[in-house]
Amino acid sequence: MRVAVIGAGVGGIAAAIKLRRSTSASVVIYEQSAGVGGTWFDNRYPGCEVDVHSHAYSLSFLKYDWPRTHATQPELLAYVQHVVERFGLTPHLRLNTRVTDLVWEESTQTYRLSTEHGDSEEFDVVISALGLLNVPRYPDWPGLDTFSGPCFHTSRWQDQDLTGKSVAVVGTGSTAVQIVPAIAPAARQVYVFQRQPGWIEPKNEREFTPRQRWVFRNVPLAQRLNRAWIFHKGNRRFKGYDVGSRYQRRMRGLCERFIATSIQDPATRAAVTPDYPWGCKRPVLSSTFYPALNRGNVELVPHPVAKVTPTGVLDATGTHRDADVLILSTGFQPTKFLSSLDVKGVDGRSIHDVWRERASAFLGITVPGFPNFFMLYGPNTNGGVSVIAQLERQAEVVVRAVRRLERTGARTVDTSPDAARRFLAWIDRRMATSASAMNAGCHNYYHDQAGHNVTQWPAGHLAYALATRLLSPFGLRTPH
């Protein structure tokens, strides 16, 4: 069987490895960028690093000598390249090649895959590993196009000498809290525009000691046991998303103590303290952002941007601040799944037409009427402890489906519409009591325009591992 993987981030790489190890399928990996790594290839801003422990934010089947508890962007990029070389994937890569269209051909029961270069090929199975946070969200502020200095989104970073410059950073999410401490020592002035505060926890990142690295390299179970402990703590931490739980109070208390001990100015402390439940929006981990706000050249502006002028930024109170450089840490468009790809399934129906009211998929992986098409990081799969673990479970569903096709001689596997409906109903029931519910009082990236939470998985990773193992045989059907 011929399998196409679209995307050479960690998810696409994991799927290719598992397919080559457990099936006889031939695999081609398409990647629109010039190198592998996905989000870690695209994002190169100062201070860029992951906020999940290295031993959890890595593939379970490969031991690796991590130098730090939380890997930096260059370290993660080197890791992905190591994985590619270790498992011999380089000949299977087609870099600088964006896939534009997939069309199901009923006569051959294959997908016709087309690229931006005008090429087309047929594949028996296609896996989309396009990721979730890769399409930047650009604001529509009046006057944005009139700004006279450098202006760019964090995921499209432009190398600038910020020495002696006045810099406006818009946003206080996971990216901005890494950038601000990294650029503050060089910049003359940094203005941090905050639309709404987020709950921030201490990250506690550090270098591993030489002894610790030796143990993780040489004691066979050390890295696995540490990984298991991280997942245990993460699954327990997930209980905090229940707004009435003891863990919710514990997490809020942790964050409030962190504010009290890290920020000197009482007004700033008040401005960064949210008035909504912990977990309503993605919790941020950073040990350096709050201390950076104590610097004399860093000012928190606790108001949204109202307008951009050629020389600076006007906030919602009408106050203008001059800026030489404008950095947009304004997030992504995660609810627009497969936005760069047009997929047509049975009877030529587009997946975007199917998703006109709401994006959904069985286990976040498959959609009825789109046989042999699988998604990694699809609707309602963001969460757990580490997205890498979620991606591995999804890749294993694909592997089992391909093995079933090989074993039975069937040409297609499709999704039961009833199973897809039941799964979606369960998602909505679980989301109703979560801190990330639409009416919890915060702005987050989880909901589509109609108010559906289409991105988050409403439980821990163990629950997702069990669901993908136990439910996929009932939801994925091959013809008799």
Side-chain angles (χ1 to χ4, degrees):
M1 301 187 72
R2 299 197 72 217
V3 180
V5 179
I6 307 173
V10 180
I13 296 301
I17 293 170
K18 289 176 181 286
L19 282 166
R20 296 186 69 231
R21 295 173 82 180
S22 302
T23 76
S24 59
S26 65
V27 180
V28 179
I29 310 167
Y30 292 88
E31 170 56 50
Q32 65 180 352
S33 298
V36 299
T39 189
W40 302 111
F41 183 89
D42 294 337
N43 289 272
R44 298 168 182 246
Y45 55 83
C48 183
E49 65 179 41
V50 73
D51 55 10
V52 177
H53 197 290
S54 302
H55 289 162
Y57 198 84
S58 50
L59 297 168
S60 63
F61 52 82
L62 178 65
K63 186 167 68 173
Y64 189 73
D65 182 20
W66 291 106
R68 306 174 73 248
T69 58
H70 297 75
T72 64
Q73 181 268 340
E75 290 166 348
L76 286 161
L77 205 56
Y79 170 72
V80 179
Q81 188 61 51
H82 169 78
V83 173
V84 167
E85 295 171 0
R86 167 70 174 76
F87 291 96
L89 295 183
T90 301
H92 302 267
L93 288 168
R94 296 189 186 177
L95 302 177
N96 295 307
T97 305
R98 183 171 64 87
V99 176
T100 57
D101 300 276
L102 285 176
V103 179
W104 176 251
E105 303 284 357
E106 192 64 44
S107 59
T108 59
Q109 295 190 309
T110 59
Y111 278 100
R112 173 66 61 180
L113 180 150
S114 301
T115 74
E116 61 183 337
H117 305 307
D119 305 320
S120 67
E121 292 187 66
E122 288 190 3
F123 289 92
D124 300 292
V125 172
V126 178
I127 305 167
S128 167
L130 291 176
L132 190 71
L133 304 176
N134 59 357
V135 181
R137 175 184 285 115
Y138 289 96
D140 57 357
W141 304 319
L144 181 59
D145 58 346
T146 69
F147 186 71
S148 59
C151 174
F152 48 87
H153 193 275
T154 54
S155 64
R156 305 293 184 266
W157 186 266
Q158 299 175 13
D159 287 330
Q160 301 284 333
D161 182 5
L162 301 179
T163 304
K165 301 287 182 64
S166 177
V167 184
V169 179
V170 183
T172 52
S174 297
T175 298
V177 301
Q178 295 178 348
I179 291 174
V180 170
I183 67 173
R188 173 175 56 83
Q189 178 70 46
V190 178
Y191 297 111
V192 185
F193 289 82
Q194 172 188 272
R195 179 180 62 171
Q196 185 181 48
W199 289 111
I200 298 181
E201 307 164 36
K203 189 171 176 178
N204 301 320
E205 71 276 24
R206 59 178 176 82
E207 301 278 339
F208 284 126
T209 66
R211 178 178 177 80
Q212 287 174 318
R213 291 183 69 174
W214 185 92
V215 169
F216 288 134
R217 282 196 308 266
N218 296 285
V219 178
L221 288 178
Q223 198 166 125
R224 286 186 176 275
L225 288 173
N226 192 44
R227 178 183 172 93
W229 175 244
I230 295 165
F231 274 82
H232 168 70
K233 291 191 296 182
N235 283 319
R236 186 175 60 182
R237 178 177 179 270
F238 190 85
K239 296 177 182 178
Y241 285 90
D242 182 345
V243 293
S245 69
R246 175 169 56 93
Y247 280 90
Q248 166 73 206
R249 295 191 295 273
R250 176 183 295 182
M251 296 311 300
R252 287 184 62 132
L254 169 69
C255 296
E256 288 167 347
R257 288 191 297 274
F258 187 38
I259 293 171
T261 57
S262 301
I263 299 178
Q264 298 166 359
D265 177 49
T268 303
R269 288 201 296 266
V272 301
T273 304
D275 58 1
Y276 55 80
W278 176 90
C280 180
K281 63 167 66 177
R282 186 182 189 275
V284 175
L285 279 79
S286 173
S287 300
T288 56
F289 177 66
Y290 284 158
L293 298 180
N294 295 325
R295 296 178 61 99
N297 68 329
V298 177
E299 178 185 344
L300 179 74
V301 182
H303 308 291
V305 171
K307 183 180 179 181
V308 177
T309 71
T311 59
V313 179
L314 194 75
D315 70 25
T317 68
T319 303
H320 184 274
R321 290 171 176 84
D322 291 337
D324 302 309
V325 180
L326 178 56
I327 299 174
L328 307 177
S329 185
T330 48
F332 298 87
Q333 302 179 53
T335 63
K336 296 182 179 180
F337 293 92
L338 306 183
S339 60
S340 64
L341 181 63
D342 188 16
V343 185
K344 289 185 170 63
V346 174
D347 298 327
R349 193 174 185 193
S350 169
I351 200 166
H352 297 293
D353 289 335
V354 173
W355 285 344
R356 191 174 299 279
E357 294 184 5
R358 176 181 185 174
S360 66
F362 176 63
L363 299 173
I365 303 171
T366 61
V367 179
F370 294 83
N372 296 11
F373 177 70
F374 301 85
M375 289 177 290
L376 308 186
Y377 220 165
N380 294 110
T381 60
N382 185 42
V385 178
S386 165
V387 68
I388 306 300
Q390 301 281 94
L391 293 169
E392 281 200 58
R393 304 294 82 76
Q394 293 157 21
E396 288 159 5
V397 171
V398 182
V399 168
R400 289 194 292 271
V402 171
R403 291 180 64 180
R404 186 196 302 185
L405 294 174
E406 291 180 331
R407 185 179 66 252
T408 63
R411 296 300 305 276
T412 63
V413 57
D414 205 345
T415 306
S416 159
D418 184 59
R421 283 192 296 269
R422 288 172 179 268
F423 177 76
L424 185 59
W426 178 83
I427 289 283
D428 286 344
R429 287 197 300 272
R430 288 298 301 262
M431 286 297 182
T433 59
S434 171
S436 62
M438 189 68 176
N439 59 358
C442 72
H443 299 282
N444 59 40
Y445 63 73
Y446 305 155
H447 298 85
D448 62 16
Q449 291 185 340
H452 306 113
N453 189 324
V454 296
T455 63
Q456 299 307 105
W457 170 247
H461 176 69
L462 178 60
Y464 191 70
L466 290 172
T468 52
R469 170 64 69 169
L470 300 177
L471 299 183
S472 59
F474 298 98
L476 301 182
R477 308 176 303 183
T478 52
H480 297 290

